[in-house]
Amino acid sequence: MSKIVWKPAALLAPAPAVIVSCQDGKKANLITVAWTGIVSSDPAMTYVSIRKERFSYEIIARQKEFAINLASEKMCRAVDLCGVKSGRNCDKFAVSGLTPLPCSKIGCPMIEQSPLALECKVTDVIPLGSHDMFLAEIVAVDVDSGLIDENGKLHLDKSGLLAFCHGEYFALGKRLGKLGFSVRRKPHHAASPK
Amino acid sequence: MSKIVWKPAALLAPAPAVIVSCQDGKKANLITVAWTGIVSSDPAMTYVSIRKERFSYEIIARQKEFAINLASEKMCRAVDLCGVKSGRNCDKFAVSGLTPLPCSKIGCPMIEQSPLALECKVTDVIPLGSHDMFLAEIVAVDVDSGLIDENGKLHLDKSGLLAFCHGEYFALGKRLGKLGFSVRRKPHHAASPK
């Protein structure tokens, strides 16, 4: 394959497409974010990068708390709305038809319709240019009970998560394998009776 | 939906499943990473979080350069191998069947089979616990020429990108919409002749 060299661009994909919730006094707000990821497993830490001009920027900078709400296919329209509208002019929960639920460890709401939410406390704010990075510790995880089986195992793949790729939203498709599949030995078969 | 509160965990999904390439002297290495994301659009900046114990950690800490190679479905087995094997004991390019190609702006190779690579220079290393975060500026983007149409537009969706979700690899599935679709007006139709 021949390669064409382009100038620097934010072309990492797929990215998660999530809705970040936050609250300042009585005003809760939502903002869609794709610039997010896990930065450490233990302690579990994440980040969201947000432009200074965004309404949620000031709220999170002041309150030092937010929740990351994973989004399902069904939430795609709400995800898009929360990315293009501003909370300065509207109530994002009302506009998007999403329902706030109290978090357990932080003072802002999570989204009831979200399959899984990460409750986060900001540990650092790093200015980088167009965006500031809010580094945060994950302090609790809220899981939709319908995704947990009778053995307590989480089936996140059943929630129809959204991905963001080069300006477009996609559903997750075919399952291709489990971490470690390339080196896993085939299971032993019991000798068949003769 | 009722929610069950779990203790903190790295449950953000979907994450990108990418292979990071690096080089120290003559020895090139590959490591699969899901803890990566965009942290700023302008300048275009990214990060990869890597455990200190990993062979690539020292290489990247010393050389301050790496490339993020996006991975396609066809590369799934190589992605898994580069995540579970160590470059201390093997040549990852040989083991995974991937082909090194020189980068344009940095001294380590990219992967020929990758649809798109981000050439990166480390700007900061932030220790966080299990992982250290390598913050980096994207200095060039290498795009497979087959993904660019005659108008110069990139069709990244045609490359069959891999996503990582809760310990499993997935292909991207159905396209659900373009950023801004929720507020876009329907195109005007020319008045039909009477």
Side-chain angles (χ1 to χ4, degrees), chain A residues 29-162:
Chain A
N29 198 40
L30 299 170
I31 178 174
T32 295
V33 158
W35 298 169
T36 178
I38 294 293
V39 294
S40 171
S41 302
D42 185 20
M45 291 189 67
T46 184
Y47 81 99
V48 292
S49 281
I50 299 179
R51 289 180 190 269
K52 277 209 174 71
E53 305 81 55
R54 298 301 296 261
F55 185 57
S56 296
Y57 179 95
E58 283 298 331
I59 300 178
I60 297 173
R62 250 193 315 264
Q63 299 298 326
K64 308 269 186 214
E65 292 182 340
F66 60 86
I68 294 176
N69 303 272
L70 304 194
S72 66
E73 279 182 64
K74 282 183 227 161
M75 294 166 67
C76 190
R77 195 180 176 78
V79 164
D80 193 58
L81 273 172
C82 290
V84 296
K85 295 259 182 195
S86 172
R88 279 192 195 93
N89 320 313
C90 67
D91 173 339
K92 292 265 194 102
F93 274 102
V95 164
S96 60
L98 298 172
T99 316
L101 267 188
C103 280
S104 63
K105 294 275 174 73
I106 57 174
C108 75
M110 62 174 130
I111 296 172
E112 182 173 9
Q113 288 85 350
S114 170
L116 188 147
L118 305 171
E119 302 185 21
C120 301
K121 289 193 178 182
V122 175
T123 58
D124 210 354
V125 186
I126 303 177
L128 294 170
S130 59
H131 293 67
D132 282 6
M133 177 171 58
F134 290 92
L135 269 179
E137 193 167 336
I138 299 168
V139 295
V141 178
D142 305 284
V143 188
D144 179 335
S145 58
L147 295 172
I148 303 174
D149 71 17
E150 62 278 15
N151 301 314
K153 188 173 151 42
L154 172 64
H155 296 272
L156 197 50
D157 55 307
K158 289 192 178 155
S159 59
L161 291 180
L162 270 192

Side-chain angles (χ1 to χ4, degrees), chain A residues 1-18 35-47 49 51 68 70 73 76-77 80-81 84-85 101 104 110-116 118-119 126 128-133 135 138-146 148 152-157 161-183, chain B residues 1-18 35-47 49 51 68 70 73 76-77 80-81 84-85 101 104 110-116 118-119 126 128-133 135 138-146 148 152-157 161-183:
Chain A
M1 296 190 210
S2 73
K3 305 290 179 185
I4 294 179
V5 184
W6 279 8
K7 61 180 201 290
L11 280 167
L12 184 61
V18 302
W35 298 169
T36 178
I38 294 293
V39 294
S40 171
S41 302
D42 185 20
M45 291 189 67
T46 184
Y47 81 99
S49 281
R51 289 180 190 269
I68 294 176
L70 304 194
E73 279 182 64
C76 190
R77 195 180 176 78
D80 193 58
L81 273 172
V84 296
K85 295 259 182 195
L101 267 188
S104 63
M110 62 174 130
I111 296 172
E112 182 173 9
Q113 288 85 350
S114 170
L116 188 147
L118 305 171
E119 302 185 21
I126 303 177
L128 294 170
S130 59
H131 293 67
D132 282 6
M133 177 171 58
L135 269 179
I138 299 168
V139 295
V141 178
D142 305 284
V143 188
D144 179 335
S145 58
I148 303 174
K153 188 173 151 42
L154 172 64
H155 296 272
L156 197 50
D157 55 307
L161 291 180
L162 270 192
F164 187 70
C165 174
H166 196 221
E168 297 185 310
Y169 307 101
F170 289 85
L172 286 193
K174 198 178 154 199
R175 182 184 172 282
L176 299 171
K178 213 171 177 168
L179 180 64
F181 79 88
S182 65
V183 294
Chain B
M1 295 190 210
S2 73
K3 303 291 178 183
I4 294 178
V5 184
W6 279 8
K7 62 181 200 291
L11 281 167
L12 184 60
V18 302
W35 298 169
T36 179
I38 295 292
V39 294
S40 170
S41 302
D42 185 18
M45 292 189 66
T46 184
Y47 80 98
S49 281
R51 289 180 190 269
I68 294 177
L70 305 194
E73 280 181 63
C76 191
R77 194 179 175 79
D80 193 58
L81 273 172
V84 296
K85 295 257 183 195
L101 267 188
S104 63
M110 63 174 129
I111 296 172
E112 182 173 9
Q113 289 85 350
S114 169
L116 188 147
L118 305 172
E119 301 185 22
I126 303 177
L128 292 170
S130 60
H131 294 66
D132 281 7
M133 179 170 56
L135 268 179
I138 300 168
V139 295
V141 178
D142 305 284
V143 188
D144 180 334
S145 58
I148 302 175
K153 187 173 152 43
L154 171 64
H155 295 272
L156 198 50
D157 55 307
L161 291 179
L162 271 191
F164 187 70
C165 174
H166 196 220
E168 298 186 310
Y169 307 101
F170 289 85
L172 285 193
K174 198 178 154 200
R175 182 183 171 283
L176 300 171
K178 213 171 178 170
L179 180 64
F181 79 88
S182 64
V183 294

